[in-house]
Structures are given as structure tokens and as C-alpha cells.
Amino acid sequence: MNHWEGISEFIAVAESQSFTRAAERLNLSVAQISRQIAALEKRLASKLFYRTTRKVSLSEEGQLYYRHCRLLQDGIEEAERALGSLKQTPQGLLRVTAPVTYGEQFILPLLNDFLCLHPKLDLQLDLNNKTLDLIDGGYDLAIRLGKLADSSLMARRLGSRRNYVCASPEYLANHGVPHTLGELHRHQCLLGNHPYWRFIEQGQERQWRLSGRLVCNSGPGLLDAARKGLGLVQLPDYYVGEDLASGALVSVLEAYQAAPEGIWALYPQNRHLSPKVSLLLDFLQQALPEAPDLGKS
């Protein structure tokens, strides 16, 4: 049973005291208005209107019913106004998760800028290197780096990053400069979350498995080790850019450098994307750069 059927017609007749004016107000025919009112009275087992040739007026039951229906109608209109206001002025809580170091250095400053632009928004940011479940965790958005696993989530590419294999000049002076991937097994390699590095060889992407003297899930920790001459490291541009520019690190194996990887925003697959999330996606996409080409050593 559709409890809303006939309500709009009932309110229009009650307020205009005329089936004809109610039909004009709702852009319906008088016959349609009459059928809806008759069906409503039958469903309620109550006479809602007194009808004469000159006037339509509410019965006692109709007056009671109108007061309640008017409150419902006002609530619907207020809900629609609130939704329109939300589209104009985003508000409420945004829950975002991002990798720790990248989130600290790049995402959090941008989110702070976004909050400055939209003072009615609140933010909860979870910096975590684990792949968190957005649905179970109630997150609006996740920032992910590199290749994406298959998932039911929606993804938007925000920017890109480029990985560099590099070492300190002192390390290369002591151990030599590798010119092929096969030479890597003779070098000290500093490894992160994965036991391999990504390369392009003969036009094909390769995952080159390595063993490392140091295994650490901290990008800054690996960068510090490379600066101190402990070995070769493969890190994204935002870690090593300044060191490559200053000469503190030297890029090697450029001929095998993999294509830039994506920086992604993932969000649940909804038919209607929340206006606040949509605005944040646009903001991040404009703010995050494509991977810089730091040149050859």
C-alpha cells in the first residue's frame, strides 16, 4: 500500500478549497484530482471534504488529517531545501584514509586547505599503510598508490609518481654503477614492503626479485640508509627529488625505469556520489601533480 498516494492532491484541495484550482496548481486534470481524493477517503474510511456547488471545505476528520499531512509536506520540502543547501555548501563529516608518509607530506596539507575553503566540514583522517575496507570502516575515500587490485570500488586517478633507483656517490664509488638488471644481485639493495623492484625490460614490465641487506617498511628510513651509503634503493620521486637535484643521490638504471604509477582515490560505488566527496575529488585532482621527470644522472 502506498501511504503517500493522494496526499499532495488532498493538501492542494484543502488549501485552495477547490478541485479546479487544485488541478491547476498540480498541473493535473480535475478528474484525476477527484479520483485520488475518492481513493484516499475510501482507504481511510473517512469523509475528508464537504462538497457543495459553490465550495469545498474540510470535514472534522479532514481538518485533523490536514494538520498532520501539512507537517509531513513541510518536512519533505525542508529535506529538499537541506539537500540543495548541502550541494551549495558541503557540510558534515568526511572520513578519509591514506598511506602514512604520503598522507603526512601531501594529502593532509591539501585536506587542511580544503577545510579552510569549507568551514562546515569536519575531517577524520586515518593514516595507515594497511589496505583498509572502506565499507566496513565507513570511509568516504581512500588514497592508494601504484597498481590497484581488482575491486568493486570506484577509482579516480589524481596524479602519478615515478620510481627511481639511486644510491649515494660514495656507495657507487665503492661498489660500481650497475648498468643491467642482472648486476643487481652483486649490490646491497634496500627493500621496502615488497621483495622486488619494478622495471621495464624490452618493453615489458618486470618485477625483479631481490634480497636486501636492509628491509624496512619506512620510506624515510630507506632514504636515510641510501644517503649514508648502505646500498641501492628504489623510491618514488617525492622522496628522492631533492637529493637527486643536489647530487646527494645519483639515479641509475634509467634505461629500465618503469612508467609512472597512478595516485588514486577510491570510494564506494554509489549511484549518487556525495557532493562533499565529489568536491574533494575535484580539489585533489587539481592539486596533485603528474610525476616529474627528474632527468638522468
Side-chain angles (χ1 to χ4, degrees):
M1 182 184 297
N2 187 352
H3 292 285
W4 292 98
E5 191 170 356
I7 298 298
S8 296
E9 293 85 350
F10 167 71
I11 291 174
V13 173
E15 293 179 345
S16 63
Q17 297 184 342
S18 166
F19 280 70
T20 300
R21 287 195 292 271
E24 293 172 351
R25 173 172 161 179
L26 298 178
N27 197 26
L28 298 173
S29 68
V30 174
Q32 286 178 289
I33 297 289
S34 297
R35 282 195 297 271
Q36 289 288 358
I37 296 301
L40 184 62
E41 288 181 323
K42 181 179 180 180
R43 178 164 65 83
L44 297 174
S46 298
K47 188 174 184 63
L48 300 176
F49 293 104
Y50 296 122
R51 303 166 177 84
T52 68
T53 55
R54 299 184 191 178
K55 186 179 178 183
V56 176
S57 59
L58 286 166
S59 66
E60 183 179 356
E61 293 92 339
Q63 292 175 8
L64 176 64
Y65 194 60
Y66 170 75
R67 288 196 295 271
H68 287 280
C69 288
R70 184 67 259 180
L71 289 174
L72 292 173
Q73 184 85 348
D74 290 342
I76 292 172
E77 292 172 359
E78 179 61 30
E80 291 177 352
R81 285 194 295 271
L83 183 59
S85 174
L86 184 63
K87 291 179 179 178
Q88 296 292 328
T89 306
Q91 53 194 286
L93 176 64
L94 270 171
R95 300 193 70 233
V96 180
T97 178
V100 176
T101 302
Y102 189 80
E104 287 176 340
Q105 292 187 8
F106 297 96
I107 298 302
L108 182 54
L110 292 176
L111 292 177
N112 289 338
D113 291 340
F114 191 69
L115 290 179
C116 290
L117 293 173
H118 303 289
K120 291 188 177 181
L121 278 176
D122 298 322
L123 171 70
Q124 182 178 330
L125 176 62
D126 187 346
L127 295 175
N128 201 312
N129 289 331
K130 295 181 180 179
T131 303
L132 301 179
D133 189 304
L134 270 67
I135 306 300
D136 288 346
Y139 294 100
D140 296 297
L141 200 69
I143 304 299
R144 302 270 167 83
L145 307 175
K147 285 203 165 187
L148 296 177
D150 292 337
S151 105
S152 61
L153 299 173
M154 302 297 291
R156 186 190 293 192
R157 190 175 181 276
L158 302 177
S160 63
R161 65 178 188 174
R162 192 187 301 267
N163 287 316
Y164 290 83
V165 176
C166 48
S168 69
E170 294 76 18
Y171 174 86
L172 295 175
N174 292 329
H175 297 83
V177 177
H179 297 287
T180 66
L181 300 184
E183 297 175 54
L184 285 174
H185 75 276
R186 299 201 300 265
H187 282 268
Q188 303 292 343
C189 295
L190 312 172
L191 301 179
N193 291 322
H194 305 291
Y196 57 82
W197 290 346
R198 291 190 177 92
F199 295 101
I200 293 290
E201 186 178 35
Q202 297 179 346
Q204 300 294 319
E205 184 175 296
R206 293 285 307 274
Q207 291 183 353
W208 199 267
R209 295 189 69 84
L210 300 162
S211 58
R213 182 184 182 192
L214 171 65
V215 178
C216 177
N217 65 352
S218 166
L222 292 172
L223 177 61
D224 181 70
R227 286 170 175 166
K228 292 175 177 175
L230 292 179
L232 293 166
V233 71
Q234 187 180 64
L235 284 171
D237 44 53
Y238 47 83
Y239 282 111
V240 300
E242 292 183 3
D243 290 275
L244 291 177
S246 69
L249 293 177
V250 177
S251 176
V252 299
L253 297 172
E254 293 95 344
Y256 301 94
Q257 187 178 52
E261 300 176 332
I263 297 167
W264 304 91
L266 271 63
Y267 51 95
Q269 188 171 0
N270 296 322
R271 181 171 296 179
H272 299 293
L273 188 60
S274 165
K276 62 186 177 184
V277 176
S278 181
L279 277 174
L280 178 58
L281 285 170
D282 292 341
F283 180 82
L284 292 175
Q285 193 167 36
Q286 293 173 10
L288 290 172
E290 294 299 322
D293 187 351
L294 301 178
K296 299 183 183 298
S297 59

mmCIF file of all heavy atoms in Angstrom, residues 61-96:
data_model
loop_
_atom_site.group_PDB
_atom_site.id
_atom_site.type_symbol
_atom_site.label_atom_id
_atom_site.label_comp_id
_atom_site.label_asym_id
_atom_site.label_seq_id
_atom_site.Cartn_x
_atom_site.Cartn_y
_atom_site.Cartn_z
ATOM 1 N N GLU A 61 -12.784 15.306 10.374
ATOM 2 C CA GLU A 61 -11.698 14.351 10.126
ATOM 3 C C GLU A 61 -10.673 14.931 9.153
ATOM 4 O O GLU A 61 -9.459 14.719 9.303
ATOM 5 C CB GLU A 61 -12.263 13.047 9.557
ATOM 6 C CG GLU A 61 -13.129 12.275 10.520
ATOM 7 C CD GLU A 61 -14.608 12.646 10.371
ATOM 8 O OE1 GLU A 61 -14.887 13.745 9.841
ATOM 9 O OE2 GLU A 61 -15.450 11.840 10.795
ATOM 10 N N GLY A 62 -11.169 15.644 8.140
ATOM 11 C CA GLY A 62 -10.276 16.243 7.151
ATOM 12 C C GLY A 62 -9.352 17.281 7.767
ATOM 13 O O GLY A 62 -8.166 17.384 7.400
ATOM 14 N N GLN A 63 -9.866 18.083 8.711
ATOM 15 C CA GLN A 63 -9.032 19.083 9.377
ATOM 16 C C GLN A 63 -7.907 18.425 10.171
ATOM 17 O O GLN A 63 -6.757 18.875 10.144
ATOM 18 C CB GLN A 63 -9.914 19.945 10.289
ATOM 19 C CG GLN A 63 -10.887 20.840 9.555
ATOM 20 C CD GLN A 63 -11.815 21.574 10.503
ATOM 21 O OE1 GLN A 63 -11.657 21.532 11.726
ATOM 22 N NE2 GLN A 63 -12.822 22.261 9.945
ATOM 23 N N LEU A 64 -8.248 17.346 10.889
ATOM 24 C CA LEU A 64 -7.233 16.627 11.653
ATOM 25 C C LEU A 64 -6.182 16.027 10.719
ATOM 26 O O LEU A 64 -4.975 16.135 10.972
ATOM 27 C CB LEU A 64 -7.906 15.532 12.486
ATOM 28 C CG LEU A 64 -6.964 14.608 13.277
ATOM 29 C CD1 LEU A 64 -6.197 15.391 14.335
ATOM 30 C CD2 LEU A 64 -7.763 13.469 13.918
ATOM 31 N N TYR A 65 -6.670 15.408 9.652
ATOM 32 C CA TYR A 65 -5.748 14.762 8.708
ATOM 33 C C TYR A 65 -4.862 15.805 8.021
ATOM 34 O O TYR A 65 -3.660 15.578 7.804
ATOM 35 C CB TYR A 65 -6.567 13.970 7.683
ATOM 36 C CG TYR A 65 -5.740 13.003 6.864
ATOM 37 C CD1 TYR A 65 -5.025 11.977 7.474
ATOM 38 C CD2 TYR A 65 -5.712 13.100 5.473
ATOM 39 C CE1 TYR A 65 -4.289 11.078 6.722
ATOM 40 C CE2 TYR A 65 -4.979 12.204 4.720
ATOM 41 C CZ TYR A 65 -4.266 11.196 5.344
ATOM 42 O OH TYR A 65 -3.530 10.318 4.598
ATOM 43 N N TYR A 66 -5.441 16.968 7.699
ATOM 44 C CA TYR A 66 -4.672 18.016 7.020
ATOM 45 C C TYR A 66 -3.520 18.501 7.896
ATOM 46 O O TYR A 66 -2.406 18.713 7.405
ATOM 47 C CB TYR A 66 -5.579 19.189 6.652
ATOM 48 C CG TYR A 66 -4.799 20.400 6.177
ATOM 49 C CD1 TYR A 66 -4.233 20.438 4.910
ATOM 50 C CD2 TYR A 66 -4.598 21.492 7.016
ATOM 51 C CE1 TYR A 66 -3.506 21.532 4.479
ATOM 52 C CE2 TYR A 66 -3.876 22.588 6.601
ATOM 53 C CZ TYR A 66 -3.321 22.601 5.331
ATOM 54 O OH TYR A 66 -2.588 23.693 4.914
ATOM 55 N N ARG A 67 -3.775 18.702 9.201
ATOM 56 C CA ARG A 67 -2.716 19.201 10.070
ATOM 57 C C ARG A 67 -1.504 18.269 10.067
ATOM 58 O O ARG A 67 -0.360 18.717 10.013
ATOM 59 C CB ARG A 67 -3.251 19.386 11.493
ATOM 60 C CG ARG A 67 -4.187 20.566 11.654
ATOM 61 C CD ARG A 67 -4.371 20.943 13.117
ATOM 62 N NE ARG A 67 -5.044 19.884 13.879
ATOM 63 C CZ ARG A 67 -6.366 19.794 14.001
ATOM 64 N NH1 ARG A 67 -7.150 20.683 13.411
ATOM 65 N NH2 ARG A 67 -6.900 18.822 14.721
ATOM 66 N N HIS A 68 -1.766 16.970 10.107
ATOM 67 C CA HIS A 68 -0.657 16.012 10.097
ATOM 68 C C HIS A 68 0.018 15.942 8.717
ATOM 69 O O HIS A 68 1.251 15.874 8.617
ATOM 70 C CB HIS A 68 -1.169 14.623 10.511
ATOM 71 C CG HIS A 68 -1.495 14.516 11.966
ATOM 72 N ND1 HIS A 68 -0.533 14.320 12.943
ATOM 73 C CD2 HIS A 68 -2.681 14.581 12.627
ATOM 74 C CE1 HIS A 68 -1.099 14.271 14.129
ATOM 75 N NE2 HIS A 68 -2.412 14.429 13.975
ATOM 76 N N CYS A 69 -0.796 15.947 7.666
ATOM 77 C CA CYS A 69 -0.220 15.876 6.313
ATOM 78 C C CYS A 69 0.594 17.119 5.995
ATOM 79 O O CYS A 69 1.616 17.047 5.298
ATOM 80 C CB CYS A 69 -1.336 15.699 5.278
ATOM 81 S SG CYS A 69 -2.087 14.064 5.299
ATOM 82 N N ARG A 70 0.149 18.269 6.494
ATOM 83 C CA ARG A 70 0.893 19.507 6.234
ATOM 84 C C ARG A 70 2.276 19.445 6.884
ATOM 85 O O ARG A 70 3.273 19.911 6.304
ATOM 86 C CB ARG A 70 0.104 20.696 6.774
ATOM 87 C CG ARG A 70 0.690 22.062 6.507
ATOM 88 C CD ARG A 70 0.668 22.404 5.029
ATOM 89 N NE ARG A 70 1.953 22.213 4.400
ATOM 90 C CZ ARG A 70 2.205 22.439 3.112
ATOM 91 N NH1 ARG A 70 1.244 22.862 2.312
ATOM 92 N NH2 ARG A 70 3.399 22.230 2.608
ATOM 93 N N LEU A 71 2.335 18.854 8.086
ATOM 94 C CA LEU A 71 3.635 18.687 8.743
ATOM 95 C C LEU A 71 4.554 17.787 7.913
ATOM 96 O O LEU A 71 5.755 18.054 7.772
ATOM 97 C CB LEU A 71 3.443 18.090 10.142
ATOM 98 C CG LEU A 71 2.816 19.007 11.196
ATOM 99 C CD1 LEU A 71 2.555 18.230 12.488
ATOM 100 C CD2 LEU A 71 3.733 20.200 11.480
ATOM 101 N N LEU A 72 3.977 16.702 7.368
ATOM 102 C CA LEU A 72 4.771 15.817 6.520
ATOM 103 C C LEU A 72 5.261 16.538 5.266
ATOM 104 O O LEU A 72 6.410 16.403 4.856
ATOM 105 C CB LEU A 72 3.945 14.582 6.133
ATOM 106 C CG LEU A 72 3.593 13.611 7.257
ATOM 107 C CD1 LEU A 72 2.636 12.535 6.747
ATOM 108 C CD2 LEU A 72 4.864 12.964 7.814
ATOM 109 N N GLN A 73 4.371 17.284 4.644
ATOM 110 C CA GLN A 73 4.736 18.032 3.438
ATOM 111 C C GLN A 73 5.812 19.060 3.745
ATOM 112 O O GLN A 73 6.769 19.222 2.988
ATOM 113 C CB GLN A 73 3.495 18.721 2.866
ATOM 114 C CG GLN A 73 3.728 19.449 1.549
ATOM 115 C CD GLN A 73 3.611 18.524 0.362
ATOM 116 O OE1 GLN A 73 3.582 17.312 0.529
ATOM 117 N NE2 GLN A 73 3.573 19.098 -0.826
ATOM 118 N N ASP A 74 5.682 19.742 4.859
ATOM 119 C CA ASP A 74 6.708 20.712 5.254
ATOM 120 C C ASP A 74 8.051 20.019 5.470
ATOM 121 O O ASP A 74 9.102 20.556 5.128
ATOM 122 C CB ASP A 74 6.283 21.438 6.540
ATOM 123 C CG ASP A 74 5.117 22.389 6.312
ATOM 124 O OD1 ASP A 74 4.861 22.735 5.142
ATOM 125 O OD2 ASP A 74 4.473 22.766 7.307
ATOM 126 N N GLY A 75 8.004 18.810 6.067
ATOM 127 C CA GLY A 75 9.242 18.075 6.296
ATOM 128 C C GLY A 75 9.936 17.699 4.997
ATOM 129 O O GLY A 75 11.160 17.781 4.882
ATOM 130 N N ILE A 76 9.137 17.274 4.014
ATOM 131 C CA ILE A 76 9.706 16.916 2.710
ATOM 132 C C ILE A 76 10.336 18.139 2.052
ATOM 133 O O ILE A 76 11.450 18.084 1.506
ATOM 134 C CB ILE A 76 8.618 16.302 1.809
ATOM 135 C CG1 ILE A 76 8.192 14.941 2.355
ATOM 136 C CG2 ILE A 76 9.124 16.167 0.374
ATOM 137 C CD1 ILE A 76 7.004 14.345 1.642
ATOM 138 N N GLU A 77 9.625 19.257 2.093
ATOM 139 C CA GLU A 77 10.157 20.476 1.479
ATOM 140 C C GLU A 77 11.441 20.928 2.184
ATOM 141 O O GLU A 77 12.382 21.384 1.545
ATOM 142 C CB GLU A 77 9.091 21.577 1.512
ATOM 143 C CG GLU A 77 7.904 21.288 0.600
ATOM 144 C CD GLU A 77 6.776 22.286 0.775
ATOM 145 O OE1 GLU A 77 6.921 23.207 1.640
ATOM 146 O OE2 GLU A 77 5.762 22.169 0.064
ATOM 147 N N GLU A 78 11.454 20.798 3.510
ATOM 148 C CA GLU A 78 12.655 21.171 4.257
ATOM 149 C C GLU A 78 13.815 20.241 3.918
ATOM 150 O O GLU A 78 14.967 20.679 3.793
ATOM 151 C CB GLU A 78 12.362 21.117 5.753
ATOM 152 C CG GLU A 78 13.548 21.469 6.648
ATOM 153 C CD GLU A 78 14.068 22.875 6.417
ATOM 154 O OE1 GLU A 78 13.272 23.756 6.035
ATOM 155 O OE2 GLU A 78 15.284 23.093 6.610
ATOM 156 N N ALA A 79 13.507 18.947 3.742
ATOM 157 C CA ALA A 79 14.553 17.991 3.361
ATOM 158 C C ALA A 79 15.130 18.341 1.996
ATOM 159 O O ALA A 79 16.344 18.273 1.772
ATOM 160 C CB ALA A 79 13.990 16.575 3.362
ATOM 161 N N GLU A 80 14.282 18.732 1.068
ATOM 162 C CA GLU A 80 14.758 19.106 -0.264
ATOM 163 C C GLU A 80 15.586 20.383 -0.209
ATOM 164 O O GLU A 80 16.606 20.502 -0.901
ATOM 165 C CB GLU A 80 13.572 19.271 -1.210
ATOM 166 C CG GLU A 80 12.879 17.943 -1.528
ATOM 167 C CD GLU A 80 11.664 18.121 -2.411
ATOM 168 O OE1 GLU A 80 11.267 19.284 -2.648
ATOM 169 O OE2 GLU A 80 11.100 17.099 -2.853
ATOM 170 N N ARG A 81 15.162 21.336 0.630
ATOM 171 C CA ARG A 81 15.954 22.567 0.786
ATOM 172 C C ARG A 81 17.309 22.261 1.414
ATOM 173 O O ARG A 81 18.332 22.826 1.032
ATOM 174 C CB ARG A 81 15.189 23.584 1.631
ATOM 175 C CG ARG A 81 14.052 24.277 0.906
ATOM 176 C CD ARG A 81 13.560 25.494 1.682
ATOM 177 N NE ARG A 81 12.965 25.116 2.960
ATOM 178 C CZ ARG A 81 11.676 24.819 3.123
ATOM 179 N NH1 ARG A 81 10.860 24.826 2.087
ATOM 180 N NH2 ARG A 81 11.206 24.502 4.314
ATOM 181 N N ALA A 82 17.310 21.342 2.407
ATOM 182 C CA ALA A 82 18.571 20.975 3.061
ATOM 183 C C ALA A 82 19.523 20.302 2.076
ATOM 184 O O ALA A 82 20.731 20.558 2.090
ATOM 185 C CB ALA A 82 18.301 20.041 4.244
ATOM 186 N N LEU A 83 18.975 19.440 1.221
ATOM 187 C CA LEU A 83 19.811 18.784 0.220
ATOM 188 C C LEU A 83 20.377 19.799 -0.757
ATOM 189 O O LEU A 83 21.555 19.748 -1.118
ATOM 190 C CB LEU A 83 18.997 17.728 -0.522
ATOM 191 C CG LEU A 83 19.752 16.899 -1.567
ATOM 192 C CD1 LEU A 83 20.903 16.162 -0.921
ATOM 193 C CD2 LEU A 83 18.809 15.928 -2.260
ATOM 194 N N GLY A 84 19.531 20.756 -1.175
ATOM 195 C CA GLY A 84 20.028 21.802 -2.063
ATOM 196 C C GLY A 84 21.098 22.641 -1.395
ATOM 197 O O GLY A 84 22.101 23.008 -2.014
ATOM 198 N N SER A 85 20.915 22.919 -0.105
ATOM 199 C CA SER A 85 21.920 23.689 0.637
ATOM 200 C C SER A 85 23.211 22.913 0.765
ATOM 201 O O SER A 85 24.308 23.475 0.683
ATOM 202 C CB SER A 85 21.374 24.039 2.023
ATOM 203 O OG SER A 85 22.359 24.659 2.819
ATOM 204 N N LEU A 86 23.085 21.582 0.950
ATOM 205 C CA LEU A 86 24.279 20.747 1.064
ATOM 206 C C LEU A 86 25.082 20.772 -0.217
ATOM 207 O O LEU A 86 26.316 20.786 -0.201
ATOM 208 C CB LEU A 86 23.868 19.311 1.411
ATOM 209 C CG LEU A 86 24.990 18.305 1.661
ATOM 210 C CD1 LEU A 86 25.797 18.726 2.881
ATOM 211 C CD2 LEU A 86 24.432 16.914 1.832
ATOM 212 N N LYS A 87 24.394 20.790 -1.356
ATOM 213 C CA LYS A 87 25.091 20.858 -2.635
ATOM 214 C C LYS A 87 25.798 22.187 -2.801
ATOM 215 O O LYS A 87 26.862 22.283 -3.408
ATOM 216 C CB LYS A 87 24.101 20.629 -3.781
ATOM 217 C CG LYS A 87 23.573 19.205 -3.838
ATOM 218 C CD LYS A 87 22.591 19.030 -4.976
ATOM 219 C CE LYS A 87 22.092 17.592 -5.040
ATOM 220 N NZ LYS A 87 21.106 17.388 -6.111
ATOM 221 N N GLN A 88 25.178 23.243 -2.268
ATOM 222 C CA GLN A 88 25.791 24.566 -2.352
ATOM 223 C C GLN A 88 26.901 24.723 -1.320
ATOM 224 O O GLN A 88 27.953 25.287 -1.611
ATOM 225 C CB GLN A 88 24.722 25.643 -2.118
ATOM 226 C CG GLN A 88 23.625 25.672 -3.170
ATOM 227 C CD GLN A 88 24.109 26.119 -4.510
ATOM 228 O OE1 GLN A 88 25.014 26.931 -4.607
ATOM 229 N NE2 GLN A 88 23.504 25.586 -5.565
ATOM 230 N N THR A 89 26.677 24.231 -0.119
ATOM 231 C CA THR A 89 27.633 24.381 0.982
ATOM 232 C C THR A 89 27.889 23.020 1.599
ATOM 233 O O THR A 89 27.109 22.550 2.435
ATOM 234 C CB THR A 89 27.075 25.341 2.053
ATOM 235 O OG1 THR A 89 26.703 26.574 1.435
ATOM 236 C CG2 THR A 89 28.108 25.595 3.133
ATOM 237 N N PRO A 90 28.946 22.331 1.186
ATOM 238 C CA PRO A 90 29.215 20.995 1.742
ATOM 239 C C PRO A 90 29.419 21.054 3.244
ATOM 240 O O PRO A 90 30.065 21.956 3.766
ATOM 241 C CB PRO A 90 30.492 20.560 1.014
ATOM 242 C CG PRO A 90 31.107 21.811 0.511
ATOM 243 C CD PRO A 90 29.972 22.754 0.234
ATOM 244 N N GLN A 91 28.861 20.081 3.939
ATOM 245 C CA GLN A 91 28.952 20.057 5.390
ATOM 246 C C GLN A 91 28.893 18.622 5.876
ATOM 247 O O GLN A 91 28.568 17.703 5.121
ATOM 248 C CB GLN A 91 27.813 20.882 6.004
ATOM 249 C CG GLN A 91 26.437 20.500 5.518
ATOM 250 C CD GLN A 91 25.395 21.531 5.885
ATOM 251 O OE1 GLN A 91 25.005 21.615 7.039
ATOM 252 N NE2 GLN A 91 24.942 22.300 4.921
ATOM 253 N N GLY A 92 29.239 18.434 7.137
ATOM 254 C CA GLY A 92 29.228 17.100 7.712
ATOM 255 C C GLY A 92 30.631 16.542 7.851
ATOM 256 O O GLY A 92 31.628 17.259 7.749
ATOM 257 N N LEU A 93 30.704 15.235 8.080
ATOM 258 C CA LEU A 93 31.974 14.565 8.351
ATOM 259 C C LEU A 93 32.494 13.863 7.104
ATOM 260 O O LEU A 93 31.758 13.149 6.430
ATOM 261 C CB LEU A 93 31.791 13.541 9.472
ATOM 262 C CG LEU A 93 33.008 12.682 9.830
ATOM 263 C CD1 LEU A 93 34.139 13.554 10.383
ATOM 264 C CD2 LEU A 93 32.624 11.589 10.819
ATOM 265 N N LEU A 94 33.780 14.062 6.819
ATOM 266 C CA LEU A 94 34.494 13.333 5.774
ATOM 267 C C LEU A 94 35.458 12.357 6.442
ATOM 268 O O LEU A 94 36.274 12.766 7.277
ATOM 269 C CB LEU A 94 35.285 14.286 4.884
ATOM 270 C CG LEU A 94 34.594 14.872 3.650
ATOM 271 C CD1 LEU A 94 35.465 15.962 3.045
ATOM 272 C CD2 LEU A 94 34.299 13.794 2.626
ATOM 273 N N ARG A 95 35.388 11.069 6.095
ATOM 274 C CA ARG A 95 36.304 10.072 6.644
ATOM 275 C C ARG A 95 37.201 9.580 5.511
ATOM 276 O O ARG A 95 36.728 9.024 4.519
ATOM 277 C CB ARG A 95 35.546 8.915 7.287
ATOM 278 C CG ARG A 95 34.648 9.359 8.432
ATOM 279 C CD ARG A 95 34.153 8.174 9.238
ATOM 280 N NE ARG A 95 35.244 7.572 10.009
ATOM 281 C CZ ARG A 95 35.564 6.288 9.967
ATOM 282 N NH1 ARG A 95 34.908 5.458 9.177
ATOM 283 N NH2 ARG A 95 36.547 5.813 10.692
ATOM 284 N N VAL A 96 38.508 9.801 5.671
ATOM 285 C CA VAL A 96 39.490 9.518 4.621
ATOM 286 C C VAL A 96 40.608 8.670 5.207
ATOM 287 O O VAL A 96 40.993 8.845 6.374
ATOM 288 C CB VAL A 96 40.075 10.831 4.049
ATOM 289 C CG1 VAL A 96 41.091 10.555 2.946
ATOM 290 C CG2 VAL A 96 38.954 11.732 3.527
#
